Amino acid sequence: NPDNYCYCPTVRECAIADLENDVWDMSNCPECIDGLLSLQGCQGAPVIMSTPHYLDADPSLIEAIDGINPIKELHGTYLNLEPMTGMPLQAHKRIQISVPVYPTEYFDCMKKANPNGTVFPLVWVDEGADIDDDNIKKAKGLLVTPFLAVDIGSGMIIGVGGILLIGV
């Protein structure tokens, strides 16, 4: 999609289109790393978005920084819906903001950094909402009670019909 070129600044020069399979071969694109969304080409800021702890991203990102430990339950985005009504019960969108870091002589800790750069995480955010107990009770009353009433009513009608059938 040409509208997405800005998310990988060098994609036009390095990606090879595989028209037969309708995919791009990105193996020659060192800046286009799975799991990263570079905002520099679109927004002008050297900011990279990803899932927290580089969940489901290229393994080289996880290996480059000590302390990165992606866990799907803690770092994944999800939406739990009540199946009958589609009412959201839980929603969590988790994102990580990182910056590209390159070796420099100005800081001792950065002298040994990867010459091609490292994606350094700054912060990750969990934007989420969970339904509270009061609303769970309301939803249960609206969802379970009508089905319970129908089941009880059906049972009573079958019982009365059986008694009338036997009595006649």
Side-chain angles (χ1 to χ4, degrees), residues 14-124:
C14 62
I16 301 168
D18 180 356
L19 300 177
E20 194 172 296
N21 295 317
D22 195 29
V23 296
W24 285 353
D25 178 6
M26 306 292 277
S27 59
N28 294 327
C29 297
E31 291 184 27
C32 305
I33 301 171
D34 280 344
L36 298 183
L37 181 65
S38 173
L39 300 182
Q40 186 156 3
C42 296
Q43 303 296 325
V47 173
I48 297 171
M49 305 291 284
S50 69
T51 54
H53 287 250
Y54 306 116
L55 177 69
D56 298 327
D58 190 280
S60 66
L61 296 167
I62 299 163
E63 295 163 4
I65 307 282
D66 289 339
I68 299 294
N69 184 24
I71 301 170
K72 189 169 188 119
E73 292 77 23
L74 295 176
H75 305 122
T77 293
Y78 64 91
L79 174 63
N80 288 335
L81 300 173
E82 195 285 318
M84 298 292 284
T85 62
M87 181 177 72
L89 301 175
Q90 291 180 311
H92 287 269
K93 170 65 177 138
R94 295 169 174 153
I95 58 170
Q96 177 172 289
I97 300 169
S98 305
V99 293
V101 177
Y102 299 95
T104 179
E105 295 295 320
Y106 296 111
F107 300 103
D108 290 338
C109 63
M110 297 304 299
K111 288 180 182 176
K112 296 180 181 179
N114 185 337
N116 296 326
T118 300
V119 180
F120 187 78
L122 294 178
V123 64
W124 72 269

Side-chain angles (χ1 to χ4, degrees), residues 154-164:
S154 299
M156 289 177 64
I157 291 172
I158 291 171
V160 169
I163 290 172
L164 290 175

